[in-house]
Amino acid sequence: MKLKKKDIFFETLENMADTIVQAADYFAQNITSLRDNVDNFAAVMKKYENQCDTYTHTVIKELNKTFITPLERDDIMDLITSMDDVMDGLEASASRFYMYNLLDADEYIVQFAEILRQSAYEIQKAVHLLSQKKLLAIREYTIRLNDLENQGDEVLRICTKNLFETVTDPIELIKRKELYERLETTTDKCEDVANMLESIIMRNS
């Protein structure tokens, strides 16, 4: 029996989610060993980001030529864009290590990396459920994404306070503060994905 071909939109959304997981895993696994490979670290993350851009362009192209779509056209576009924002945030954070020559990830950066890694997996699970039309089951993962974003807020609060208490070099302070804030903003982008999924659930349940 011939298997039914997966819808191009769901397939591309799943590919995007899978790539975000790969990128977040790579980010978390390599963040503490940048002294010998910061150039490669930034380059690999850029490749992941380029791949996600390709998926976004695929969705735009398909939306322009497809009359009937499995979800509202705006929902598909907003979801792929919000997921692309997560990947952009990961890549932008990785590039800061290279540009600022930040080779030692402190405990707060490690915590952010783990929050983002967990968030990526929640996004992946939710998006794969979306393809299966298991909309109400997605809520478990959107709630988890909201919780992880709250954890990111707390880490930013603690690490910013510690930064101003312990770092006296103004250049180092500026570099660390900008990186912390960029990482926390990326957790916000993960929550944006959760909010977009919630909107889809409401409109389609």
Side-chain angles (χ1 to χ4, degrees):
M1 189 176 78
K2 190 176 179 182
L3 290 172
K4 186 180 177 183
K5 190 174 185 296
K6 183 170 283 189
D7 177 88
I8 184 65
F9 296 106
F10 286 141
E11 182 178 27
T12 308
L13 287 165
E14 285 185 2
N15 287 340
M16 173 77 97
D18 295 345
T19 303
I20 290 170
V21 162
Q22 292 166 21
D25 267 341
Y26 180 84
F27 188 93
Q29 288 163 6
N30 289 274
I31 206 74
T32 55
S33 56
L34 295 180
R35 289 213 157 264
D36 299 320
N37 74 339
V38 69
D39 296 19
N40 185 62
F41 175 71
V44 170
M45 291 299 294
K46 185 63 180 173
K47 285 181 183 176
Y48 284 127
E49 193 256 341
N50 288 340
Q51 183 61 62
C52 286
D53 284 345
T54 300
Y55 294 137
T56 302
H57 294 147
T58 296
V59 164
I60 294 169
K61 183 180 72 177
E62 291 296 327
L63 283 172
N64 284 331
K65 69 180 188 182
T66 305
F67 184 64
I68 298 174
T69 55
L71 299 167
E72 291 289 334
R73 306 172 83 81
D74 287 349
D75 286 346
I76 294 170
M77 194 64 227
D78 289 347
L79 181 57
I80 198 88
T81 302
S82 64
M83 290 165 66
D84 194 44
D85 288 344
V86 172
M87 185 63 247
D88 287 346
L90 281 165
E91 189 279 325
S93 299
S95 71
R96 271 17 183 214
F97 289 96
Y98 172 74
M99 290 191 295
Y100 298 164
N101 199 35
L102 273 170
L103 304 179
D104 295 306
D106 58 37
E107 63 181 296
Y108 306 112
I109 292 169
V110 171
Q111 287 174 41
F112 274 124
E114 179 57 22
I115 289 168
L116 288 166
R117 190 187 71 81
Q118 290 181 35
S119 296
Y121 275 95
E122 302 305 323
I123 290 170
Q124 182 189 44
K125 286 179 276 196
V127 169
H128 279 262
L129 283 174
L130 183 65
S131 299
Q132 299 166 40
K133 305 287 182 71
K134 295 179 179 176
L135 297 181
L136 295 180
I138 292 171
R139 282 241 160 84
E140 174 186 345
Y141 305 108
T142 60
I143 290 167
R144 178 76 177 132
L145 282 163
N146 289 323
D147 178 54
L148 286 162
E149 190 275 334
N150 289 336
Q151 291 179 36
D153 287 345
E154 182 66 9
V155 174
L156 180 64
R157 189 182 68 78
I158 294 167
C159 69
T160 302
K161 183 175 186 294
N162 179 73
L163 186 67
F164 282 95
E165 286 176 348
T166 60
V167 176
T168 54
D169 179 351
I171 302 300
E172 183 68 15
L173 189 147
I174 290 167
K175 290 193 291 188
R176 293 265 168 187
K177 183 173 182 290
E178 205 262 338
L179 180 58
Y180 292 155
E181 289 173 348
R182 190 167 291 274
L183 287 163
E184 191 278 328
T185 298
T186 309
T187 70
D188 291 342
K189 298 300 180 184
C190 294
E191 187 179 44
D192 289 345
V193 176
N195 293 338
M196 191 60 238
L197 287 164
E198 285 284 350
S199 295
I200 292 171
I201 292 167
M202 283 191 294
R203 277 197 282 272
N204 293 276
S205 294

